[in-house]
Amino acid sequence: MAFTVLNSRMVQARVAPGTTLFSQRGAMLAYTGEVRFTPSITGGQGGVRGMIGRRVTGEATPLMTVEGDGTVMFGHGGHHVQVIDLWGETLHVEADRVLAFDGTLRQGTVFLGSQGGVMGVVRGQMTGQGLFTTTLEGNGSAAVLAHGGVIELPVVPGRPVHVDPQAYVAHRGEIRTRLSTALGWRDMVGRGSGEAFQLELSGTGTVYVQASEEKL
Amino acid sequence: MAQFRLQGSKVLAVDLAGDSVKAKNGSMVAYDGEMTFKKRTGGGDGLRGVVTRRLTGEHMAVMEVKGHGTCYFADRAHEVNLVRLTGETLYVEASNLLCTDGALRTGTTFTGLRGSARGNGLFTTTVEGTGQAAVLSEGTAVVLRVTPQMPLQVDPGAYIAHTGDLRQHFQSGVNFRTLIGEGSGEAFQIRFEGEGLVYVQPSERETVGGEV
Protein backbone atom coordinates (compact mmCIF):
# COMPACT_ATOMS: atom_id res chain seq x y z
CA MET A 1 0.00 0.00 0.00
CA ALA A 2 1.02 3.62 0.24
CA PHE A 3 3.74 3.41 2.91
CA THR A 4 7.23 1.92 2.79
CA VAL A 5 9.05 1.59 6.10
CA LEU A 6 12.50 3.20 5.76
CA ASN A 7 13.52 2.60 9.37
CA SER A 8 11.67 2.42 12.65
CA ARG A 9 11.17 6.17 12.75
CA MET A 10 10.59 7.10 9.09
CA VAL A 11 8.13 6.04 6.43
CA GLN A 12 8.07 6.87 2.76
CA ALA A 13 4.91 7.33 0.73
CA ARG A 14 4.46 7.28 -3.02
CA VAL A 15 2.16 10.01 -4.26
CA ALA A 16 0.71 9.46 -7.72
CA PRO A 17 -1.43 11.86 -9.74
CA GLY A 18 -5.06 11.51 -8.77
CA THR A 19 -4.35 10.15 -5.30
CA THR A 20 -4.40 12.06 -2.07
CA LEU A 21 -2.62 11.54 1.21
CA PHE A 22 -3.26 13.24 4.51
CA SER A 23 -0.54 13.89 7.05
CA GLN A 24 -0.03 15.71 10.31
CA ARG A 25 1.01 19.27 9.49
CA GLY A 26 4.79 19.65 9.60
CA ALA A 27 5.50 15.91 9.53
CA MET A 28 7.12 16.00 6.07
CA LEU A 29 10.86 15.35 6.33
CA ALA A 30 11.84 15.28 2.67
CA TYR A 31 10.36 14.75 -0.76
CA THR A 32 11.31 14.17 -4.37
CA GLY A 33 9.31 15.04 -7.46
CA GLU A 34 6.46 17.47 -7.74
CA VAL A 35 4.52 17.41 -4.50
CA ARG A 36 2.13 20.03 -3.11
CA PHE A 37 1.26 20.43 0.55
CA THR A 38 -1.90 22.32 1.37
CA PRO A 39 -3.39 22.84 4.80
CA SER A 40 -6.54 20.80 5.05
CA ILE A 41 -9.12 22.90 6.83
CA THR A 42 -11.66 20.15 6.93
CA GLY A 43 -8.97 17.74 8.08
CA GLY A 44 -9.67 14.71 6.02
CA GLN A 45 -13.20 13.86 5.08
CA GLY A 46 -16.55 14.47 6.58
CA GLY A 47 -16.98 17.92 5.10
CA VAL A 48 -18.09 20.84 7.23
CA ARG A 49 -19.88 18.59 9.69
CA GLY A 50 -16.72 16.59 10.27
CA MET A 51 -14.76 19.79 10.74
CA ILE A 52 -17.18 21.11 13.33
CA GLY A 53 -17.22 17.72 14.98
CA ARG A 54 -13.45 17.79 15.34
CA ARG A 55 -13.38 21.39 16.56
CA VAL A 56 -15.92 20.67 19.24
CA THR A 57 -14.39 17.41 20.33
CA GLY A 58 -10.80 18.59 20.49
CA GLU A 59 -9.76 15.74 18.19
CA ALA A 60 -8.33 18.33 15.84
CA THR A 61 -4.68 17.74 15.05
CA PRO A 62 -4.00 20.01 12.07
CA LEU A 63 -3.70 18.02 8.87
CA MET A 64 -2.38 18.78 5.43
CA THR A 65 -3.22 17.35 2.05
CA VAL A 66 -0.35 15.86 0.07
CA GLU A 67 -0.85 15.66 -3.70
CA GLY A 68 1.25 15.48 -6.84
CA ASP A 69 3.71 13.05 -8.34
CA GLY A 70 6.67 11.91 -6.26
CA THR A 71 7.74 10.37 -2.97
CA VAL A 72 7.48 11.92 0.47
CA MET A 73 9.19 10.94 3.70
CA PHE A 74 7.36 11.38 6.98
CA GLY A 75 8.45 11.27 10.60
CA HIS A 76 7.80 13.17 13.79
CA GLY A 77 9.75 13.89 16.94
CA GLY A 78 11.94 10.80 16.59
CA HIS A 79 8.99 8.63 17.59
CA HIS A 80 8.53 5.13 16.29
CA VAL A 81 6.24 4.80 13.33
CA GLN A 82 3.92 1.84 12.94
CA VAL A 83 2.22 1.22 9.60
CA ILE A 84 -1.22 -0.34 9.91
CA ASP A 85 -2.97 -1.73 6.80
CA LEU A 86 -6.74 -1.71 6.89
CA TRP A 87 -8.97 -3.99 4.83
CA GLY A 88 -12.38 -2.55 5.43
CA GLU A 89 -11.94 -2.43 9.20
CA THR A 90 -11.98 0.55 11.51
CA LEU A 91 -8.89 1.80 13.29
CA HIS A 92 -9.37 3.73 16.54
CA VAL A 93 -6.46 6.03 17.34
CA GLU A 94 -5.88 9.31 19.17
CA ALA A 95 -5.66 12.22 16.72
CA ASP A 96 -2.18 13.34 17.80
CA ARG A 97 -0.76 9.88 17.10
CA VAL A 98 -1.82 9.91 13.44
CA LEU A 99 1.21 10.68 11.30
CA ALA A 100 -0.24 10.13 7.83
CA PHE A 101 -2.92 8.10 6.10
CA ASP A 102 -4.27 7.23 2.66
CA GLY A 103 -6.87 9.56 1.22
CA THR A 104 -9.01 6.52 0.55
CA LEU A 105 -9.65 6.10 4.28
CA ARG A 106 -12.69 7.81 5.77
CA GLN A 107 -11.93 9.82 8.86
CA GLY A 108 -14.36 10.30 11.69
CA THR A 109 -14.66 11.00 15.38
CA VAL A 110 -16.42 8.83 17.92
CA PHE A 111 -17.60 9.60 21.40
CA LEU A 112 -16.13 7.16 23.89
CA GLY A 113 -18.12 8.36 26.84
CA SER A 114 -21.01 6.31 25.55
CA GLN A 115 -19.02 3.14 26.18
CA GLY A 116 -19.29 2.39 29.83
CA GLY A 117 -21.02 5.50 31.17
CA VAL A 118 -19.08 7.21 33.94
CA MET A 119 -16.09 4.91 33.43
CA GLY A 120 -16.01 6.03 29.82
CA VAL A 121 -15.67 9.60 31.00
CA VAL A 122 -12.94 8.60 33.42
CA ARG A 123 -11.19 6.73 30.61
CA GLY A 124 -10.85 9.95 28.63
CA GLN A 125 -9.41 11.73 31.64
CA MET A 126 -7.00 8.89 32.35
CA THR A 127 -5.56 8.67 28.89
CA GLY A 128 -5.38 12.44 28.81
CA GLN A 129 -6.91 12.45 25.39
CA GLY A 130 -10.42 13.55 26.13
CA LEU A 131 -13.60 11.73 25.44
CA PHE A 132 -13.28 11.41 21.71
CA THR A 133 -11.10 9.37 19.49
CA THR A 134 -10.40 9.44 15.77
CA THR A 135 -11.50 6.62 13.50
CA LEU A 136 -10.07 5.66 10.13
CA GLU A 137 -12.12 3.29 8.05
CA GLY A 138 -11.89 1.60 4.66
CA ASN A 139 -9.13 0.13 2.52
CA GLY A 140 -5.72 1.74 2.89
CA SER A 141 -2.83 2.34 5.24
CA ALA A 142 -2.21 4.59 8.18
CA ALA A 143 1.10 5.49 9.83
CA VAL A 144 0.77 5.85 13.60
CA LEU A 145 3.26 7.31 16.10
CA ALA A 146 4.35 5.55 19.29
CA HIS A 147 7.07 6.02 21.88
CA GLY A 148 9.53 3.14 21.80
CA GLY A 149 8.10 0.64 19.36
CA VAL A 150 4.84 -1.21 19.35
CA ILE A 151 3.68 -4.75 20.10
CA GLU A 152 0.49 -6.11 18.56
CA LEU A 153 -1.71 -8.17 20.82
CA PRO A 154 -4.61 -10.16 19.37
CA VAL A 155 -7.96 -9.82 21.08
CA VAL A 156 -10.19 -12.88 20.75
CA PRO A 157 -13.63 -13.55 22.22
CA GLY A 158 -13.43 -14.83 25.77
CA ARG A 159 -9.90 -13.57 26.23
CA PRO A 160 -9.94 -9.82 26.81
CA VAL A 161 -6.69 -7.86 26.92
CA HIS A 162 -6.02 -5.25 29.58
CA VAL A 163 -3.80 -2.31 28.68
CA ASP A 164 -2.25 0.46 30.72
CA PRO A 165 -4.08 3.62 29.50
CA GLN A 166 -0.74 5.42 29.06
CA ALA A 167 0.70 2.59 26.95
CA TYR A 168 -2.37 2.19 24.73
CA VAL A 169 -1.74 3.36 21.14
CA ALA A 170 -4.58 2.21 18.90
CA HIS A 171 -6.88 -0.70 18.15
CA ARG A 172 -8.63 -2.18 15.15
CA GLY A 173 -11.52 -4.52 14.60
CA GLU A 174 -14.73 -5.18 16.48
CA ILE A 175 -13.63 -4.22 19.95
CA ARG A 176 -15.38 -2.78 22.96
CA THR A 177 -13.29 -0.78 25.39
CA ARG A 178 -14.04 -0.40 29.04
CA LEU A 179 -12.05 1.11 31.85
CA SER A 180 -11.59 -1.39 34.63
CA THR A 181 -10.28 -0.50 38.01
CA ALA A 182 -8.59 -2.29 40.82
CA LEU A 183 -8.85 0.77 43.00
CA GLY A 184 -8.76 -0.06 46.67
CA TRP A 185 -8.13 1.91 49.83
CA ARG A 186 -4.41 1.34 49.34
CA ASP A 187 -4.48 3.55 46.25
CA MET A 188 -6.22 6.29 48.19
CA VAL A 189 -3.42 6.42 50.73
CA GLY A 190 -0.75 6.46 48.05
CA ARG A 191 0.36 2.87 48.49
CA GLY A 192 -0.94 1.56 45.20
CA SER A 193 0.89 -0.70 42.80
CA GLY A 194 0.61 2.02 40.16
CA GLU A 195 -1.73 -0.18 38.16
CA ALA A 196 -5.05 1.12 39.42
CA PHE A 197 -6.70 1.61 36.04
CA GLN A 198 -6.64 -0.56 32.97
CA LEU A 199 -8.33 -0.36 29.64
CA GLU A 200 -10.15 -3.61 29.00
CA LEU A 201 -10.55 -4.55 25.33
CA SER A 202 -12.90 -7.36 24.39
CA GLY A 203 -14.22 -8.70 21.11
CA THR A 204 -12.23 -9.54 17.98
CA GLY A 205 -9.33 -7.50 16.70
CA THR A 206 -5.85 -6.23 17.47
CA VAL A 207 -4.59 -3.75 20.05
CA TYR A 208 -1.32 -1.84 19.62
CA VAL A 209 0.65 -1.21 22.80
CA GLN A 210 3.81 0.90 23.08
CA ALA A 211 6.84 -0.07 25.17
CA SER A 212 6.58 3.01 27.30
CA GLU A 213 4.18 4.83 29.55
CA GLU A 214 5.11 8.19 28.15
CA LYS A 215 2.68 10.17 26.08
CA LEU A 216 3.79 11.80 22.86
CA MET B 1 8.00 -21.12 37.35
CA ALA B 2 7.16 -17.92 35.48
CA GLN B 3 8.34 -17.91 31.86
CA PHE B 4 10.13 -14.75 30.72
CA ARG B 5 10.38 -13.95 27.01
CA LEU B 6 11.08 -10.84 24.96
CA GLN B 7 8.44 -9.38 22.67
CA GLY B 8 10.67 -7.23 20.50
CA SER B 9 13.60 -5.74 22.40
CA LYS B 10 11.67 -3.37 24.65
CA VAL B 11 8.76 -5.38 25.98
CA LEU B 12 9.01 -8.26 28.45
CA ALA B 13 6.27 -10.89 28.28
CA VAL B 14 5.85 -13.10 31.34
CA ASP B 15 3.65 -16.20 31.21
CA LEU B 16 2.14 -16.92 34.59
CA ALA B 17 0.29 -20.03 35.69
CA GLY B 18 -0.74 -19.14 39.20
CA ASP B 19 2.77 -18.10 40.22
CA SER B 20 4.07 -14.61 40.85
CA VAL B 21 6.77 -12.14 39.81
CA LYS B 22 8.03 -8.92 41.33
CA ALA B 23 8.08 -5.96 38.95
CA LYS B 24 8.89 -2.29 38.99
CA ASN B 25 5.88 -0.31 40.12
CA GLY B 26 3.69 0.86 37.26
CA SER B 27 5.64 -0.99 34.56
CA MET B 28 2.73 -3.15 33.34
CA VAL B 29 1.65 -2.11 29.84
CA ALA B 30 -0.86 -4.86 29.04
CA TYR B 31 -2.09 -8.28 30.15
CA ASP B 32 -4.54 -10.98 29.25
CA GLY B 33 -6.07 -13.47 31.64
CA GLU B 34 -6.51 -12.81 35.34
CA MET B 35 -3.91 -10.72 37.17
CA THR B 36 -3.67 -9.05 40.53
CA PHE B 37 -1.24 -6.22 41.31
CA LYS B 38 -0.16 -5.69 44.86
CA LYS B 39 2.26 -3.08 46.09
CA ARG B 40 5.12 -4.52 48.09
CA THR B 41 6.88 -2.54 50.72
CA GLY B 42 10.14 -3.25 48.95
CA GLY B 43 12.46 -5.91 47.82
CA GLY B 44 12.15 -8.33 50.70
CA ASP B 45 14.15 -8.86 53.89
CA GLY B 46 11.08 -7.93 55.93
CA LEU B 47 11.15 -4.93 58.20
CA ARG B 48 14.95 -4.80 58.26
CA GLY B 49 14.92 -4.53 54.48
CA VAL B 50 12.45 -1.68 54.57
CA VAL B 51 14.56 0.26 57.04
CA THR B 52 17.74 -0.42 55.05
CA ARG B 53 16.17 0.77 51.84
CA ARG B 54 14.84 3.91 53.48
CA LEU B 55 18.27 4.72 54.86
CA THR B 56 20.22 3.82 51.74
CA GLY B 57 18.00 5.49 49.20
CA GLU B 58 18.14 2.24 47.21
CA HIS B 59 14.45 1.79 47.57
CA MET B 60 12.58 0.00 44.90
CA ALA B 61 8.92 0.57 44.39
CA VAL B 62 7.96 -3.02 43.69
CA MET B 63 4.66 -4.67 42.98
CA GLU B 64 3.79 -8.33 43.13
CA VAL B 65 2.00 -9.60 40.04
CA LYS B 66 0.17 -12.86 40.40
CA GLY B 67 -2.23 -14.70 38.13
CA HIS B 68 -2.96 -16.82 35.09
CA GLY B 69 -2.13 -15.50 31.62
CA THR B 70 0.48 -13.26 30.03
CA CYS B 71 1.59 -9.96 31.51
CA TYR B 72 3.61 -7.42 29.47
CA PHE B 73 6.09 -5.04 31.11
CA ALA B 74 8.02 -2.08 29.69
CA ASP B 75 9.59 1.10 31.02
CA ARG B 76 10.24 4.33 29.12
CA ALA B 77 11.10 2.42 25.94
CA HIS B 78 14.32 1.09 27.45
CA GLU B 79 15.79 -2.17 26.16
CA VAL B 80 15.10 -5.30 28.19
CA ASN B 81 17.86 -7.84 28.96
CA LEU B 82 17.08 -11.30 30.32
CA VAL B 83 19.39 -12.72 32.98
CA ARG B 84 19.08 -16.34 34.12
CA LEU B 85 20.36 -16.96 37.63
CA THR B 86 21.28 -20.38 38.93
CA GLY B 87 22.19 -19.77 42.51
CA GLU B 88 24.46 -16.79 41.90
CA THR B 89 23.89 -13.16 42.81
CA LEU B 90 23.03 -10.34 40.42
CA TYR B 91 24.05 -6.83 41.45
CA VAL B 92 21.93 -4.18 39.78
CA GLU B 93 20.78 -0.62 40.38
CA ALA B 94 17.17 -0.58 41.59
CA SER B 95 16.16 1.78 38.78
CA ASN B 96 17.40 -0.74 36.18
CA LEU B 97 15.54 -3.73 37.58
CA LEU B 98 12.31 -4.34 35.65
CA CYS B 99 11.12 -7.73 36.85
CA THR B 100 12.28 -10.75 38.85
CA ASP B 101 10.90 -14.24 39.31
CA GLY B 102 8.92 -14.55 42.52
CA ALA B 103 11.34 -17.23 43.72
CA LEU B 104 14.32 -14.85 43.71
CA ARG B 105 15.34 -13.01 46.85
CA THR B 106 16.14 -9.32 46.62
CA GLY B 107 18.20 -7.29 49.05
CA THR B 108 20.47 -4.30 49.39
CA THR B 109 24.23 -4.26 49.65
CA PHE B 110 26.97 -1.72 50.28
CA THR B 111 29.07 -0.95 47.24
CA GLY B 112 31.53 1.47 48.65
CA LEU B 113 32.56 4.75 47.16
CA ARG B 114 31.45 3.78 43.65
CA GLY B 115 27.90 4.87 44.27
CA SER B 116 28.70 8.46 45.00
CA ALA B 117 30.23 8.99 41.57
CA ARG B 118 27.22 7.43 39.92
CA GLY B 119 24.92 9.68 41.82
CA ASN B 120 22.97 6.65 42.94
CA GLY B 121 24.17 6.46 46.50
CA LEU B 122 26.45 3.97 48.18
CA PHE B 123 24.19 0.95 47.91
CA THR B 124 22.99 -1.37 45.21
CA THR B 125 20.29 -4.00 44.89
CA THR B 126 21.06 -7.71 44.91
CA VAL B 127 18.98 -10.47 43.35
CA GLU B 128 19.76 -14.00 44.46
CA GLY B 129 18.54 -17.55 43.85
CA THR B 130 17.37 -19.53 40.86
CA GLY B 131 15.13 -18.01 38.23
CA GLN B 132 14.98 -15.24 35.66
CA ALA B 133 15.35 -11.49 35.99
CA ALA B 134 14.88 -8.67 33.49
CA VAL B 135 17.26 -5.72 33.53
CA LEU B 136 16.70 -2.41 31.72
CA SER B 137 19.31 -0.61 29.66
CA GLU B 138 19.40 2.47 27.48
CA GLY B 139 20.30 0.94 24.13
CA THR B 140 21.35 -2.68 23.65
CA ALA B 141 23.58 -3.80 26.50
CA VAL B 142 26.76 -5.80 26.00
CA VAL B 143 27.89 -8.51 28.40
CA LEU B 144 31.62 -8.39 29.11
CA ARG B 145 33.52 -11.24 30.74
CA VAL B 146 36.00 -10.52 33.50
CA THR B 147 38.74 -13.08 34.26
CA PRO B 148 41.58 -12.94 36.78
CA GLN B 149 43.94 -12.19 33.86
CA MET B 150 41.67 -9.58 32.36
CA PRO B 151 40.20 -6.97 34.69
CA LEU B 152 37.69 -4.51 33.28
CA GLN B 153 37.21 -0.77 33.65
CA VAL B 154 33.71 0.64 33.13
CA ASP B 155 32.37 4.17 33.02
CA PRO B 156 30.13 4.57 36.08
CA GLY B 157 27.31 5.96 33.93
CA ALA B 158 27.39 3.02 31.52
CA TYR B 159 27.50 0.26 34.16
CA ILE B 160 24.15 -1.42 34.75
CA ALA B 161 24.66 -4.77 36.46
CA HIS B 162 27.08 -7.62 37.18
CA THR B 163 27.12 -11.24 38.30
CA GLY B 164 29.79 -13.53 39.63
CA ASP B 165 32.63 -13.27 42.08
CA LEU B 166 33.86 -9.77 41.38
CA ARG B 167 35.63 -7.19 43.46
CA GLN B 168 35.00 -3.66 42.38
CA HIS B 169 36.79 -0.52 43.21
CA PHE B 170 36.64 2.95 42.14
CA GLN B 171 39.54 4.49 40.31
CA SER B 172 40.12 8.05 39.39
CA GLY B 173 42.29 9.64 36.78
CA VAL B 174 41.87 13.09 38.21
CA ASN B 175 45.03 15.06 37.60
CA PHE B 176 46.32 18.55 37.13
CA ARG B 177 44.54 18.88 33.77
CA THR B 178 41.17 17.97 35.28
CA LEU B 179 41.57 20.65 37.89
CA ILE B 180 42.14 23.38 35.34
CA GLY B 181 39.10 22.22 33.35
CA GLU B 182 41.02 20.37 30.65
CA GLY B 183 39.85 16.90 31.63
CA SER B 184 39.09 14.20 29.09
CA GLY B 185 35.68 13.59 30.66
CA GLU B 186 36.83 10.15 31.78
CA ALA B 187 37.98 11.01 35.25
CA PHE B 188 36.34 8.08 37.05
CA GLN B 189 36.01 4.38 36.31
CA ILE B 190 34.87 1.30 38.17
CA ARG B 191 37.47 -1.47 38.04
CA PHE B 192 36.24 -5.05 38.22
CA GLU B 193 38.58 -7.86 39.21
CA GLY B 194 37.90 -11.57 39.60
CA GLU B 195 35.60 -13.87 37.64
CA GLY B 196 32.23 -12.79 36.33
CA LEU B 197 30.09 -10.89 33.84
CA VAL B 198 29.46 -7.15 33.62
CA TYR B 199 26.50 -5.62 31.74
CA VAL B 200 27.34 -2.32 30.05
CA GLN B 201 24.93 -0.02 28.22
CA PRO B 202 25.89 2.15 25.22
CA SER B 203 24.81 5.32 26.96
CA GLU B 204 26.07 7.38 29.86
CA ARG B 205 23.69 8.48 32.51
CA GLU B 206 24.19 11.72 34.39
CA THR B 207 26.77 11.12 37.07
CA VAL B 208 28.65 13.47 39.32
CA GLY B 209 31.90 12.12 37.92
CA GLY B 210 30.79 12.69 34.34
CA GLU B 211 31.03 16.42 34.81
CA VAL B 212 34.71 16.33 35.65
Side-chain angles (χ1 to χ4, degrees):
Chain A
M1 284 202 202
F3 298 102
T4 316
V5 177
L6 293 179
N7 63 33
S8 64
R9 285 139 209 258
M10 267 170 95
V11 290
Q12 181 176 282
R14 170 98 186 94
V15 189
T19 65
T20 309
L21 213 67
F22 291 99
S23 91
Q24 207 175 90
R25 244 178 253 180
M28 185 273 287
L29 300 173
Y31 73 91
T32 58
E34 287 292 320
V35 183
R36 292 184 307 283
F37 302 91
T38 40
S40 164
I41 305 160
T42 54
Q45 279 133 339
V48 178
R49 226 201 74 216
M51 181 184 90
I52 293 169
R54 276 182 294 279
R55 274 293 147 76
V56 173
T57 57
E59 281 285 310
T61 295
L63 293 175
M64 59 185 184
T65 312
V66 184
E67 283 162 315
D69 189 2
T71 48
V72 189
M73 274 140 262
F74 296 103
H76 182 67
H79 291 298
H80 278 255
V81 182
Q82 177 79 21
V83 175
I84 300 173
D85 295 327
L86 294 173
W87 304 95
E89 308 124 291
T90 304
L91 179 74
H92 288 75
V93 60
E94 307 298 338
D96 56 0
R97 289 189 183 270
V98 177
L99 179 68
F101 58 95
D102 270 332
T104 52
L105 293 174
R106 285 184 304 284
Q107 197 197 357
T109 309
V110 290
F111 180 57
L112 288 175
S114 62
Q115 294 190 340
V118 177
M119 285 319 257
V121 176
V122 179
R123 176 206 178 275
Q125 298 299 324
M126 283 299 296
T127 53
Q129 312 280 11
L131 297 174
F132 296 87
T133 199
T134 296
T135 56
L136 295 172
E137 200 185 342
N139 288 309
S141 302
V144 171
L145 295 166
H147 184 241
V150 160
I151 56 167
E152 293 177 32
L153 298 177
V155 181
V156 293
R159 200 165 171 83
V161 172
H162 301 255
V163 180
D164 186 297
Q166 264 91 44
Y168 166 84
V169 173
H171 73 264
R172 71 198 284 185
E174 290 300 313
I175 285 181
R176 274 187 63 81
T177 61
R178 188 175 76 87
L179 194 76
S180 61
T181 173
L183 205 64
W185 63 270
R186 277 174 167 272
D187 299 287
M188 302 300 177
V189 294
R191 295 275 311 274
S193 63
E195 309 291 6
F197 290 98
Q198 287 114 32
L199 209 53
E200 186 187 295
L201 298 105
S202 52
T204 308
T206 308
V207 55
Y208 298 86
V209 182
Q210 69 178 16
S212 169
E213 310 195 327
E214 250 162 57
K215 281 177 226 148
L216 293 182
Chain B
M1 199 175 269
Q3 289 302 313
F4 285 46
R5 58 198 162 82
L6 288 178
Q7 185 102 27
S9 62
K10 297 182 174 111
V11 178
L12 170 73
V14 179
D15 297 320
L16 292 172
D19 36 11
S20 72
V21 291
K22 274 179 273 181
K24 192 170 183 168
N25 227 13
S27 62
M28 184 277 288
V29 290
Y31 70 87
D32 59 35
E34 288 291 320
M35 295 283 160
T36 55
F37 301 90
K38 212 191 294 167
K39 164 107 179 213
R40 291 281 299 258
T41 27
D45 286 356
L47 190 60
R48 218 201 62 197
V50 177
V51 174
T52 317
R53 275 184 297 278
R54 275 289 147 81
L55 291 176
T56 58
E58 188 70 17
H59 64 115
M60 279 185 291
V62 175
M63 59 181 181
E64 187 187 49
V65 184
K66 200 171 178 177
H68 292 265
T70 306
C71 195
Y72 299 87
F73 300 97
D75 189 37
R76 287 167 294 150
H78 285 182
E79 303 277 324
V80 180
N81 305 275
L82 291 183
V83 181
R84 186 179 289 278
L85 294 175
T86 45
E88 69 261 51
T89 304
L90 173 73
Y91 296 82
V92 59
E93 298 302 325
S95 58
N96 283 333
L97 192 58
L98 179 64
C99 187
T100 59
D101 195 289
L104 293 169
R105 291 181 302 283
T106 47
T108 310
T109 186
F110 180 67
T111 55
L113 251 179
R114 173 173 86 71
S116 56
R118 299 225 20 228
N120 277 8
L122 300 171
F123 296 84
T124 197
T125 295
T126 56
V127 183
E128 209 183 336
T130 298
Q132 279 184 295
V135 175
L136 295 164
S137 62
E138 251 181 272
T140 308
V142 291
V143 187
L144 301 174
R145 180 169 292 278
V146 180
T147 60
Q149 295 77 36
M150 191 79 94
L152 177 73
Q153 276 80 226
V154 182
D155 185 294
Y159 164 84
I160 52 173
H162 76 266
T163 60
D165 185 18
L166 289 176
R167 286 180 310 284
Q168 48 179 319
H169 63 257
F170 196 58
Q171 72 182 28
S172 118
V174 176
N175 55 22
F176 165 70
R177 283 185 159 272
T178 318
L179 296 179
I180 59 165
E182 290 285 309
S184 63
E186 304 291 359
F188 297 98
Q189 290 100 39
I190 316 169
R191 183 178 169 91
F192 288 95
E193 284 169 1
E195 188 91 59
L197 299 172
V198 180
Y199 292 76
V200 179
Q201 68 179 11
S203 168
E204 301 178 332
R205 262 165 314 197
E206 291 286 307
T207 58
V208 179
E211 298 290 308
V212 186

